[in-house]
């Protein structure tokens, strides 16, 4: 089997999901970093949407993070999806919820006016209430979406939690999980995993904040 090559932009949370999966499965892979503001011609030829991630497997190209992660889960053990069809479908549904959180997070950080930023913050908190109610109760020091074992759905949420933590580490008042104990425990569990810690380059926390500042958003002005 050809060694997979993942095409990435350093700050992209969707790429990070795939990296976490590859690391959890201990897959030997290569990664190519591109600048999305100056996309190389070779990338535009293989990415129909001009977006990352893209996975190259020999002469074949796969795009869209959810599809890439489903492929990786089918090809490389251990399987991170539940076997039960209804549980697998449930996990896929909540993966879409994770993507909605990432969209709101981006809107929260990029909003030009405080009122717009506050609105996105409230959207996030509303979704947290739904998510908190759907999580199991912790039985020990760790918590995953389905209790005690990592699944593909957990890897979908990890990049969101990591970006929340980047903001909170820099400015504690931006921490949003204090009223959601189960989500907080889940976030702590995921961020403690070696696969999650190693899924971004060391400079990413600083560059994430610089990215927000560079877009002259309201949040960028207070970071």
């Amino acid at each position: 089997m050809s060694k997979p090559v993942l095409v990435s932009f350093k700050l992209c949370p969707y790429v990070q999901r795939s990296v976490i999966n590859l690391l959890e499965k201990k897959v030997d892979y290569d990664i190519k970093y591109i600048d999305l503001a100056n996309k190389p011609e070779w990338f535009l030829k293989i990415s129909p949407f001009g977006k990352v991630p893209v996975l190259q497997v020999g002469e074949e190209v796969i795009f869209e993070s959810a599809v890439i992660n489903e492929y990786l889960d089918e090809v490389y053990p251990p399987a991170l999806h539940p076997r039960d069809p209804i549980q697998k479908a449930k996990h896929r549904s909540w993966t879409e919820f994770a993507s909605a959180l990432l969209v709101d997070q981006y809107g929260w950080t990029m909003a030009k006016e405080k009122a717009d930023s506050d609105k996105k913050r409230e959207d996030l908190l509303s979704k947290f209430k739904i998510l908190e109610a759907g999580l199991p109760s912790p039985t020990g020091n760790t918590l995953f979406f389905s209790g005690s074992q990592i699944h593909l759905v957990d890897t979908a949420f990890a990049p969101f939690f990591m970006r929340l933590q980047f903001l909170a580490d820099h400015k504690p008042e931006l921490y949003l999980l204090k009223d959601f104990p189960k989500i907080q425990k889940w976030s702590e569990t995921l961020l403690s995993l070696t696969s999650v810690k190693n899924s971004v380059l060391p400079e990413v926390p600083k560059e994430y904040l610089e990215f927000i500042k560079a877009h002259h958003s309201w949040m960028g002005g207070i970071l």
Side-chain angles (χ1 to χ4, degrees):
M1 186 182 299
S2 300
K3 182 193 292 190
V5 178
L6 189 65
V7 184
S8 171
F9 171 61
K10 281 194 289 185
L11 299 182
C12 178
Y14 299 97
V15 175
Q16 188 183 356
R17 292 173 169 180
S18 298
V19 175
I20 295 169
N21 291 326
L22 288 162
L23 293 175
E24 278 290 326
K25 294 168 178 291
K26 297 179 172 56
V27 176
D28 184 21
Y29 73 100
D30 289 326
I31 191 163
K32 294 180 183 177
Y33 293 101
I34 66 165
D35 180 1
L36 286 179
N38 186 24
K39 299 170 186 173
E41 193 64 32
W42 65 263
F43 172 72
L44 292 173
K45 289 179 180 178
I46 66 170
S47 178
F49 292 136
K51 299 190 302 184
V52 293
V54 167
L55 188 72
Q56 297 174 289
V57 185
E59 298 299 316
E60 300 294 339
V61 174
I62 307 169
F63 56 98
E64 287 299 298
S65 64
V67 179
I68 289 170
N69 292 332
E70 293 275 348
Y71 166 78
L72 293 174
D73 204 53
E74 290 177 3
V75 172
Y76 298 103
L80 297 180
H81 254 330
R83 284 191 171 187
D84 179 71
I86 190 68
Q87 291 303 314
K88 185 184 293 186
K90 178 182 175 182
H91 282 211
R92 284 174 170 147
S93 297
W94 283 101
T95 294
E96 290 300 310
F97 194 86
S99 296
L101 283 175
L102 282 169
V103 171
D104 285 346
Q105 185 177 59
Y106 184 82
W108 179 44
T109 59
M110 291 291 123
K112 300 298 184 184
E113 304 294 334
K114 184 178 185 301
D116 293 334
S117 184
D118 288 346
K119 171 64 167 60
K120 281 299 180 185
R121 180 180 181 275
E122 290 305 313
D123 289 344
L124 285 168
L125 294 175
S126 294
K127 287 185 174 67
F128 289 169
K129 292 176 183 176
I130 298 169
L131 188 57
E132 180 81 3
L135 289 172
S137 296
T139 55
N141 293 324
T142 61
L143 179 66
F144 293 99
F145 181 81
S146 287
S148 61
Q149 182 181 346
I150 189 170
H151 286 90
L152 208 59
V153 66
D154 294 286
T155 71
F157 280 88
F160 171 80
F161 291 138
M162 182 175 277
R163 281 151 186 75
L164 276 188
Q165 196 61 50
F166 290 162
L167 294 170
D169 287 345
H170 185 74
K171 206 169 184 66
E173 56 266 40
L174 293 176
Y175 189 63
L176 300 184
L177 301 182
K178 62 182 185 299
D179 295 326
F180 305 95
K182 289 193 285 187
I183 301 177
Q184 187 171 346
K185 177 59 68 176
W186 185 24
S187 173
E188 291 169 356
T189 299
L190 294 179
L191 297 183
S192 72
L193 298 176
T194 301
S195 60
V196 175
K197 291 178 180 178
N198 293 339
S199 62
V200 295
L201 295 172
E203 62 268 26
V204 164
K206 180 180 178 182
E207 291 190 6
Y208 177 66
L209 299 177
E210 293 300 324
F211 179 82
I212 296 171
K213 293 177 184 178
H215 283 75
H216 307 292
S217 63
W218 178 84
M219 185 180 291
I222 66 169
L223 290 175

